[in-house]
């Protein structure tokens, strides 16, 4: 398999769109985003066209289109609001994960990536430490369960925030890698919910694959902050790797 050209990671693109929507809104945070990836965006300058809807006291809707040099690449419906630090009525607990100090870094173990697949560029900005319990694929040990889990934080030391959570909801390798189906799995649709402002420290991210058939797969992400609070989640539809 030849080395594929790098494209901006799609969770990162969604975070860029979320920032544009917040800057055009009277509200402070992105809380719901529904993205259609029209094609793979190319690295370089981009423009963002924000079409805001009416703003209410609690939320605003907007449509944001991100375009690169050749035209529109991502179209997103964004809802902005202001998140408050209130207790959850019902809390989804985090899974039993390996402590972060016993996990291993993607960036520091580039040789473990499948042949021809570049280490995700986001790993240079988001420190990603894979849980060995769901990283057997990195050693050629595959499973029937399409689950990948990792601890993540920004490499520059800043604390996570709602915009960062948007990127974290699509930050891991494809869950199909866990089952031995290696290769590029481009996201076609991505829906993200930001549920709370995260506490400082590491976030735990878990991605679970669902139905995989006819060249398509769905994945569900959940993100917990350092206190164990569920702070973001997403669902995406992606193409299955060919290999």
């Amino acid at each position: 398999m030849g080395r594929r050209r790098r494209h901006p990671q799609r969770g990162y693109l969604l975070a860029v769109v979320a920032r544009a929507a917040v800057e055009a809104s009277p509200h402070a945070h992105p809380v719901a985003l529904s993205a259609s990836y029209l094609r793979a965006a190319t690295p370089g300058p981009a423009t963002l066209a924000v079409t805001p809807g009416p703003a209410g006291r609690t939320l605003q809707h907007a449509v944001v289109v991100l375009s690169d040099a050749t035209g529109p690449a991502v179209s997103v419906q964004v809802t902005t609001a202001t998140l408050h630090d209130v207790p959850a009525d019902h809390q989804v607990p985090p899974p039993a994960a390996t402590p972060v100090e016993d996990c291993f870094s993607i960036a520091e173990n580039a040789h473990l990536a499948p042949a021809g697949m570049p280490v995700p560029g986001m790993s240079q900005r988001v420190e990603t430490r894979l849980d060995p319990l769901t990283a057997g694929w990195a050693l050629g040990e595959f499973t029937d369960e399409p689950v990948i889990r990792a601890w993540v934080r920004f490499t520059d030391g800043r604390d996570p925030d709602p915009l960062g959570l948007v990127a974290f909801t699509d930050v891991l390798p494809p869950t199909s890698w866990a089952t031995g189906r290696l290769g590029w799995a481009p996201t076609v649709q991505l829906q993200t919910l930001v549920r709370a402002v995260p506490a400082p420290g590491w976030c735990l991210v878990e991605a679970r694959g669902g139905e995989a058939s006819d060249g398509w797969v769905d994945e569900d992400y959940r993100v917990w902050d350092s206190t164990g609070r569920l702070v973001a989640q997403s669902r995406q539809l992606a193409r299955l790797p060919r290999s």
Side-chain angles (χ1 to χ4, degrees):
M1 180 189 300
R3 185 165 294 276
R4 294 186 179 272
R5 181 180 180 183
R6 290 182 182 270
H7 295 284
Q9 197 265 357
R10 297 190 175 194
Y12 163 75
L13 292 176
L14 193 59
V16 171
V17 166
R19 179 179 292 278
V22 166
E23 290 181 353
S25 171
H27 302 291
H29 306 121
V31 296
L33 305 97
S34 180
S36 294
Y37 294 90
L38 311 178
R39 56 181 176 77
T42 55
T47 60
L48 293 112
V50 181
T51 305
R57 294 181 60 186
T58 58
L59 59 86
Q60 181 183 44
H61 297 293
V63 175
V64 184
V65 177
L66 182 149
S67 301
D68 59 18
T70 59
V74 188
S75 178
V76 188
Q77 292 183 316
V78 185
T79 301
T80 52
T82 299
L83 297 168
H84 303 286
D85 188 12
V86 295
D89 294 329
H90 171 70
Q91 180 63 57
V92 177
T98 301
V100 64
E101 59 270 17
D102 296 324
C103 297
F104 62 92
S105 165
I106 286 182
E108 294 172 3
N109 293 274
H111 61 284
L112 297 178
M117 296 299 297
V119 174
M122 280 287 285
S123 67
Q124 305 303 314
R125 299 289 180 264
V126 177
E127 186 176 359
T128 304
R129 295 193 167 269
L130 294 169
D131 186 340
L133 294 175
T134 61
W137 54 269
L139 303 175
E141 300 170 0
F142 304 115
T143 177
D144 292 333
E145 189 175 19
V147 178
I148 296 180
R149 190 164 51 240
W151 297 93
V152 300
R153 67 179 179 183
F154 291 115
T155 57
D156 61 9
R158 62 192 169 100
D159 289 323
D161 57 23
L163 290 173
L165 293 178
V166 174
F168 291 173
T169 62
D170 184 36
V171 74
L172 300 181
T175 55
S176 59
W177 287 16
T179 65
R181 191 143 186 179
L182 309 176
W184 188 43
T187 302
V188 179
Q189 294 274 348
L190 174 60
Q191 291 84 40
T192 288
L193 303 178
V194 177
R195 311 304 301 267
V197 176
W202 290 92
C203 288
L204 178 64
V205 181
E206 182 180 82
R208 286 186 170 269
E211 182 75 13
S213 64
D214 197 26
W216 298 93
V217 65
D218 60 274
E219 291 185 352
D220 290 305
Y221 268 70
R222 283 179 170 168
V223 183
W224 293 266
D225 69 7
S226 59
T227 70
R229 183 179 190 180
L230 181 72
V231 289
Q233 59 195 114
S234 72
R235 166 162 280 199
Q236 67 174 270
L237 178 69
R239 294 294 294 168
L240 274 170
R242 293 182 180 180
S243 59

